[in-house]
Amino acid sequence: MSRTCNSRVIRANPEALYGAFVDPAALVEWLPPGRMTGSIQTFDGRVGGGYRMSLLYPEDEREFRGKSAEREDTVEVRFVELTPPARIVETIRFASDDPQFHGEMTMTATFEPRGEGTEVTLLFENLPSGVRPADNEEGARLSLEQLAARFEA
């Protein structure tokens, strides 16, 4: 089973950071890694609910690697556990015709107070075979960077 884990201490309280994971307007601002952009088609912020989000690669990117379309990754996310402000567990499926991206991976986000901030940890388990762990780690690192910028600007 393939897994990755990233952590970052962000100067914000756990409640605010947890809130950025369950607010569709906030998600589209910080979650798409790097220069990607995002849009949410549906959102239901309850256990058993979730969201459908498209992550779009920049127009000038030369390397096409979209999982759902040439320049797009679409994910179906289901909330398995919502324990404010400490923990979120969600399952993620890529909308893809490529069997390498089929299956359900799990992301566990935890929020632990650390001094004047909060350590946010993203643990991904059961990555589909088409998702390189190094790419997943880099994407999570970039997303955490953007989450930090949202609160530390």
Side-chain angles (χ1 to χ4, degrees):
M1 176 167 69
S2 189
R3 61 183 269 166
T4 65
C5 188
N6 293 69
S7 292
R8 180 177 179 129
V9 175
I10 299 174
R11 287 187 312 271
N13 64 47
E15 292 80 7
L17 290 161
Y18 179 98
F21 279 71
V22 294
D23 173 356
L27 280 168
V28 297
E29 287 183 18
W30 71 265
L31 185 61
R35 296 185 313 119
M36 292 181 85
T37 57
S39 67
I40 291 186
Q41 290 81 44
T42 62
F43 189 88
D44 178 354
R46 301 172 292 169
V47 170
Y51 58 93
R52 180 180 174 92
M53 181 178 204
S54 292
L55 302 169
L56 306 170
Y57 290 85
E59 288 292 324
D60 64 350
E61 183 154 330
R62 299 281 181 241
E63 184 181 333
F64 307 123
R65 58 179 185 229
K67 297 166 189 69
S68 306
E70 188 175 88
R71 294 181 177 272
E72 181 176 351
D73 295 346
T74 298
V75 291
E76 303 270 352
V77 176
R78 183 173 52 86
F79 293 120
V80 176
E81 177 187 332
L82 295 169
T83 308
R87 180 176 151 104
I88 297 170
V89 179
E90 55 189 45
T91 60
I92 303 164
R93 289 182 176 274
F94 288 101
S96 179
D97 293 332
D98 187 337
Q100 291 187 90
F101 298 110
H102 291 177
E104 188 173 78
M105 68 177 167
T106 302
M107 184 193 80
T108 302
T110 56
F111 309 89
E112 297 180 37
R114 294 280 187 263
E116 294 182 15
T118 301
E119 183 174 15
V120 180
T121 300
L122 303 180
L123 171 64
F124 291 88
E125 298 176 286
N126 198 30
L127 274 65
S129 64
V131 176
R132 291 184 25 212
D135 291 344
N136 193 74
E137 279 193 6
E138 178 65 5
R141 185 190 67 74
L142 290 168
S143 292
L144 285 173
E145 227 173 66
Q146 292 170 175
L147 180 63
R150 180 178 172 81
F151 289 96
E152 297 176 349

